[in-house]
Amino acid sequence: MSPPRHNLPLSAGEFIRFVGRERDIVDLGRLLGTARMVTLTGTGGIGKTRLALHLAERVMRRFPDGVRFVDLSEATTEDQVLRAVAGVLQAVEDDSRTMTEAVITALRTQSLLLFLDTCEHAVDAVGRLCRAVLRDCPRVRVLATSRQPLHVQEESIWRVPPLSLPARPTPTDPYSADPAPLPRRDAQRYESVRLFVTRAHAARAGFEMTRENSGHIAEICRLLDGMPLAIELAAARVRVLSVQQILRRLDDRFQLLTSDGSSGALPPRQRTLRAVLEWSHDLLSGPERALLHRLSVFGTWYREAAEDVCAGDGVDAGDILPLHFSLLDKSLIMVDAEIEGTAHYRLTETVRAYAAEHLAAEGGEDERWSRYLDFCVTRLEEAAEGSRSPLSWAERLAHFRLLDHHRENHARVVRWALSKGRVDEALRVCVALRPYWLVRDLAAEGGRILESVLATDPDEQSPRLRARALALQAELRLDLDVAPRVSTLAMCALEAARACREAGAAASALATMAALALRTNALDEGRLHAERALAWAEQDGDPLTETTALGVLAQLARRRGEPDRAVELLRHCIALGEKLNDRWSVARCLHVLGSIDAERGDFERARELFAESLAVFEELGAAPAIAHCSRELGRLYLAQGHILPAREPLASCLRVSFTSGQRIAVARALEALGELALAEEESERAAALAGVAADLRTALDRPSAETMRLRAAVERRVGPTRTADAWNAWRSLPLEQVRDRALAFPRASDRPAEPVTLTPREREIAELAEQGLSNREIADRLTISQATAARHIANIFRKLSISSRTQLTGWASARDRT
């Protein structure tokens, strides 16, 4: 009798129930076609064995002698490894040969796949065996699973990723549940959601994913980091709990995610989430365990942060980097991202929770958190002070991107500081984050954090810190709260600043009061506040408040009908920004200058300024500014009667506003698209857009005459009855569907094509591009930024309805003939 083709421990039914990993299996199949040895690595519960089993089943036909599966989960010594492999191969040791020789003899003439599962308890021994097999058995390929690589020269390492996850949506929809529902059409896109639903249905036959529970399912998958074992254990709980209850109980995930008997086929080490982690934890050395526990204070980190916070008491600072390599090899930490050339790491939430338990049990939690708080305060204050001096734009961008990546870290460290009564340090973190919160328009997030800090032991706070924090709170709430509340916040900040002679806080509070006066049309009062704010900001050396005050003074002059004075103030502001290489401040001024040129009828110059400022906002990723600038650019096209070119910037405005999560920005974008619909003679579409915008504004208590103007315009065209029906048509839809309908433009009419008009700058750039110059070469030739050149090229392509530079060939000569 010939031996069986394989001894894989999966039945056909389990192959059928395998969910996801389709791309991984295809890619791994290709890799096994060229590599002699492939090792699947990853943290416990990530699905290494299951993936490898299905891969082996898929590629079995390539190997005439089949697949041999060897379970090494109980093997901790070289002898145990060899005996396990020999037992599967039926290799016999005798006096004339060692066990290794017996294994090699059994494999030497075979053409098979040797599958070594769960190798991490005897990495060195398995590595030596694999080297011998690869050297002496030319037709054998090795597939291994291990929580760390086996360090064999021919080894190709495949780090098994988590199952694909839905991104956490930005909460824009006022009608949605919390968490936001996952659109049904998206459910099958995400492996983690498919796995949860499949296993939940197996646990309870009537289970279905609905609009009501889909958001909770997606959030469970996110909190479990796409880890298959954890998701399967969570899904099994639908027998006795709703998905909402499962989500609420995930704070105690190690108690919740235990086997209930349905996982009897799993080995004991995989029957609970805690057992999976303990299995990995037991393999660590003392310094590895200590570092892992201490890293739980971070959400994400880089080497210097780990050295500062985690060194000491058995972990030398010089050992931090090699210990990182070791923990990476063992799949307990992972590379998170590379931010401006610096590698960042992270723990999955499950591993972090487990490590935090150990850190608390050891009594070292407060010390590590305290060191991390001190680290954050020092670094953030140094960066905030540095931003007041000239820095290259690249350095400023790098700093913002670093802070983007550490947003959750800073929120967590502030919460810890408050829990320990270290309120002044929490205030210092918030105040140092002021430039970042303002540039990134994180007013709601920063305001919530700051409000909790200001409310904690207010009488014990440093007067100067409290004054600066109060001024920042007023600044952040300017676009979020009603005018009386903002005015009260700003006045409280000003009084606190005067009491302790804090010039920076006084300047910021006065600038906020000036901006508020501008909105309420109290122009003389606003000018007084802005001039005083400017004087205090110059005294304090605070360019951020100085540019804000200049911007408000320019808008006040514009409102008073003094555009030349407004331009003069904006030019002053631009000079200040250019001196510091602060292109964000410069772009804001260019945007306002563009608006002034548009009012004067200089549409080409306005369009150039909008395009230049938009390029900076896009480079910075400043979503609200991008939305605002795109909206004005679209309206500029409408003012010129260029209807079709207005579609793209107005569509971009809605997309960016929706992604930013600011519902007032979504309302403004819908209103602008309503104007476009009117211009395209789609009156009922305009009413539907305006109806949703009105609802958003009502929910935010931010009424506007714009929606009523749009409704009146529609009524004049189609009458009140049809207008009322159209007004209500989209109001009950989820906001995601409104977005999709708003972006599904009607077919362009058969009206004659509008003439293509390039601005003088665009014509100049088009001619240089036609000559074959790259964006960098164009930027150098015209002394503009590369981003600005790229923006102009994109505008040219859109206007000329082309998609590549080769299509520009002959453009200039053709234009000259017309």
Side-chain angles (χ1 to χ4, degrees):
M1 293 178 61
S2 61
R5 292 275 298 145
H6 72 85
N7 63 333
L8 298 175
L10 278 186
S11 67
E14 288 184 81
F15 282 120
I16 293 170
R17 291 197 299 270
F18 188 61
V19 177
R21 305 290 197 196
E22 294 87 355
R23 183 73 259 170
D24 290 335
I25 288 177
V26 170
D27 291 343
L28 280 166
R30 292 191 184 124
L31 182 59
L32 263 179
T34 57
R36 289 287 312 281
M37 177 178 178
V38 175
T39 301
L40 275 57
T41 67
T43 190
I46 202 68
K48 301 181 293 295
T49 296
R50 187 71 65 88
L51 174 59
L53 285 166
H54 286 266
L55 172 65
E57 189 270 344
R58 180 73 63 89
V59 301
M60 189 188 309
R61 64 182 179 274
R62 301 182 192 173
F63 300 93
D65 295 307
V67 178
R68 293 296 175 267
F69 171 84
V70 184
D71 182 0
L72 296 176
S73 61
E74 302 299 325
T76 59
T77 67
E78 185 161 20
D79 182 66
Q80 290 172 339
V81 168
L82 292 171
R83 290 191 181 281
V85 176
V88 169
L89 298 176
Q90 299 181 349
V92 179
E93 178 185 20
D94 57 34
D95 293 339
S96 65
R97 60 185 180 183
T98 65
M99 186 67 74
T100 301
E101 290 170 338
V103 168
I104 295 301
T105 299
L107 289 173
R108 196 184 307 273
T109 60
Q110 298 286 301
S111 177
L112 59 75
L113 178 66
L114 180 63
F115 180 174
L116 305 176
D117 185 48
T118 315
C119 303
E120 56 264 18
H121 273 301
V123 169
D124 292 340
V126 177
R128 282 191 292 273
L129 174 63
C130 290
R131 280 188 284 272
V133 169
L134 295 173
R135 182 186 64 238
D136 298 331
C137 308
R139 292 188 294 163
V140 172
R141 293 181 186 256
V142 178
L143 174 64
T145 70
S146 175
R147 298 191 187 186
Q148 63 187 104
L150 301 179
H151 305 296
V152 176
Q153 184 175 357
E154 296 91 337
E155 178 182 35
S156 293
I157 299 169
W158 181 282
R159 295 195 180 274
V160 179
L163 297 177
S164 59
L165 291 165
R168 183 172 282 109
T170 307
T172 38
D173 191 346
Y175 311 110
S176 69
D178 185 21
L182 182 69
R184 182 178 294 273
R185 66 179 181 275
D186 290 344
Q188 293 303 309
R189 293 174 49 197
Y190 304 110
E191 296 168 326
S192 56
V193 174
R194 285 160 51 198
L195 178 63
F196 185 97
V197 173
T198 300
R199 299 297 187 255
H201 184 74
R204 174 156 58 91
F207 179 85
E208 289 185 7
M209 186 172 75
T210 64
R211 175 175 171 80
E212 288 68 30
N213 68 19
S214 62
H216 296 85
I217 292 172
E219 189 67 12
I220 288 169
C221 294
R222 293 185 200 106
L223 290 176
L224 296 177
D225 306 295
M227 182 188 292
L229 175 63
I231 291 170
E232 291 195 14
L233 292 173
R237 289 288 166 239
V238 301
R239 283 195 179 116
V240 292
L241 299 172
S242 69
V243 290
Q244 291 89 337
Q245 290 172 310
I246 292 171
L247 178 58
R248 286 196 296 269
R249 296 184 183 206
L250 276 184
D251 283 342
D252 191 16
R253 66 188 70 194
F254 300 119
Q255 180 66 31
L256 174 68
L257 302 184
T258 59
S259 172
D260 60 358
S262 62
S263 304
L266 293 173
R269 69 181 188 276
Q270 292 184 3
R271 290 183 188 165
T272 72
L273 193 58
R274 185 180 294 280
V276 169
L277 293 169
E278 286 174 349
W279 173 266
S280 293
H281 191 261
D282 289 345
L283 299 176
L284 302 179
S285 66
E288 288 172 338
R289 290 182 189 178
L291 178 59
L292 179 67
H293 302 165
R294 295 169 191 179
L295 291 172
S296 64
V297 302
F298 299 110
T300 182
W301 72 90
Y302 50 98
R303 179 177 57 83
E304 291 81 1
E307 289 173 346
D308 195 285
V309 174
C310 301
D313 297 328
V315 179
D316 292 336
D319 292 336
I320 293 287
L321 187 58
L323 287 172
H324 270 68
F325 292 150
S326 180
L327 291 173
L328 277 165
D329 268 355
K330 293 176 171 66
S331 303
L332 284 167
I333 68 175
M334 59 185 69
V335 175
D336 185 15
E338 185 176 303
I339 310 298
E340 301 301 319
T342 299
H344 281 65
Y345 309 90
R346 71 179 180 91
L347 302 170
T348 66
E349 276 303 301
T350 301
V351 173
R352 194 192 64 76
Y354 180 80
E357 278 189 7
H358 280 274
L359 183 63
E362 294 163 358
E365 186 177 26
D366 284 355
E367 179 189 356
R368 299 301 156 184
W369 274 103
S370 179
R371 288 174 64 166
Y372 186 36
L373 174 61
D374 293 341
F375 177 85
C376 288
V377 168
T378 301
R379 292 297 179 98
L380 289 172
E381 287 184 340
E382 287 175 352
E385 186 61 32
S387 69
R388 295 184 172 210
S389 305
L391 288 174
S392 71
W393 180 238
E395 289 177 296
R396 292 184 185 275
L397 278 179
H399 179 58
F400 287 135
R401 288 166 183 157
L402 184 68
L403 292 179
D404 286 340
H405 200 66
H406 287 265
R407 269 171 67 182
E408 181 55 30
N409 275 349
H410 296 140
R412 291 173 65 233
V413 82
V414 166
R415 288 195 295 270
W416 182 85
L418 293 183
S419 73
K420 299 300 178 180
R422 298 179 62 172
V423 184
D424 276 1
E425 285 98 328
L427 284 171
R428 290 170 68 184
V429 170
C430 294
V431 169
L433 285 170
R434 177 193 176 220
Y436 172 69
W437 281 345
L438 293 176
V439 171
R440 281 287 188 249
D441 202 46
L442 296 173
E445 177 181 314
R448 283 193 302 270
I449 294 171
L450 194 53
E451 187 173 19
S452 66
V453 179
L454 287 167
T456 304
D457 296 330
D459 295 336
E460 301 300 319
Q461 295 173 9
S462 159
R464 294 176 68 86
L465 280 172
R466 182 168 178 81
R468 293 173 68 186
L470 285 167
L472 175 56
Q473 181 72 333
E475 201 170 13
L476 293 171
R477 303 305 299 182
L478 181 61
D479 286 329
L480 301 174
D481 285 338
V482 295
R485 171 164 164 72
V486 177
S487 178
T488 300
L489 287 171
M491 285 299 300
C492 288
L494 185 58
E495 290 173 7
R498 285 171 172 165
C500 62
R501 303 183 65 80
E502 173 54 56
S508 175
L510 285 164
T512 300
M513 293 167 69
L516 199 61
L518 173 65
R519 296 181 184 191
T520 56
N521 215 34
L523 304 186
D524 292 337
E525 180 185 339
R527 181 170 60 181
L528 178 63
H529 290 325
E531 288 172 347
R532 292 170 63 200
L534 186 59
W536 280 108
E538 290 172 343
Q539 176 183 326
D540 188 56
D542 179 6
L544 182 57
T545 304
E546 193 174 348
T547 55
T548 299
L550 284 168
V552 173
L553 282 170
Q555 294 283 26
L556 287 164
R558 183 181 172 193
R559 188 78 61 83
R560 291 194 304 269
E562 302 172 2
D564 291 338
R565 174 60 178 161
V567 169
E568 179 186 346
L569 290 163
L570 290 168
R571 295 294 181 195
H572 182 187
C573 192
I574 288 172
L576 179 61
E578 289 177 340
K579 180 181 177 181
L580 298 173
N581 294 314
D582 179 6
R583 293 179 59 196
W584 177 70
S585 296
V586 171
R588 294 169 71 202
C589 295
L590 292 176
H591 181 192
V592 180
L593 284 173
S595 299
I596 293 173
D597 282 336
E599 290 172 355
R600 288 170 162 174
D602 190 348
F603 294 133
E604 288 195 0
R605 176 60 180 161
R607 199 158 49 233
E608 285 186 3
L609 291 170
F610 286 154
E612 189 171 349
S613 57
L614 189 56
V616 176
F617 295 146
E618 288 177 341
E619 185 179 20
L620 187 58
I626 293 171
H628 188 191
C629 199
S630 296
R631 187 172 71 252
E632 292 215 33
L633 188 57
R635 283 178 161 163
L636 191 62
Y637 280 121
L638 290 178
Q640 293 178 273
H642 301 324
I643 297 173
L644 288 181
R647 284 184 172 185
E648 177 52 36
L650 294 182
S652 175
C653 173
L654 179 60
R655 284 191 294 265
V656 172
S657 298
F658 198 92
T659 302
S660 76
Q662 292 195 335
R663 288 183 291 173
I664 189 62
V666 174
R668 291 168 179 154
L670 292 173
E671 290 164 353
L673 285 166
E675 291 182 42
L676 173 62
L678 279 177
E680 294 186 313
E681 299 179 1
E682 295 283 342
S683 299
E684 288 167 276
R685 175 180 168 84
L689 290 161
V692 178
D695 276 359
L696 288 169
R697 286 187 172 279
T698 299
L700 295 168
D701 193 24
R702 299 281 294 274
S704 168
E706 181 69 12
T707 51
M708 294 301 103
R709 185 188 66 77
L710 284 169
R711 180 164 185 160
V714 174
E715 285 184 348
R716 287 194 296 272
R717 298 188 183 193
V718 301
T721 302
R722 287 173 62 186
T723 299
D725 290 343
W727 182 270
N728 295 318
W730 295 2
R731 292 174 66 191
S732 61
L733 297 176
L735 205 56
E736 293 89 349
Q737 291 186 28
V738 173
R739 174 199 58 194
D740 293 345
R741 292 191 180 195
L743 296 177
F745 291 108
R747 286 184 59 187
S749 67
D750 294 330
R751 66 172 65 93
E754 296 166 355
V756 173
T757 57
L758 299 185
T759 66
R761 174 66 89 183
E762 287 169 347
R763 288 196 295 271
E764 186 177 18
I765 289 174
E767 289 169 0
L768 292 174
E770 186 184 6
Q771 296 168 23
L773 272 67
S774 68
N775 286 356
R776 181 183 295 278
E777 290 167 334
I778 292 172
D780 292 342
R781 178 79 63 88
L782 300 179
T783 319
I784 58 176
S785 73
Q786 192 173 343
T788 300
R791 180 69 191 174
H792 281 307
I793 289 290
N795 285 339
I796 292 164
F797 281 10
R798 185 180 66 250
K799 289 183 179 182
L800 300 180
S801 299
I802 62 176
S803 57
S804 70
R805 290 171 183 258
T806 58
Q807 293 172 281
L808 279 171
T809 303
W811 171 81
S813 57
R815 178 176 58 84
D816 292 339
R817 290 195 301 269
T818 60

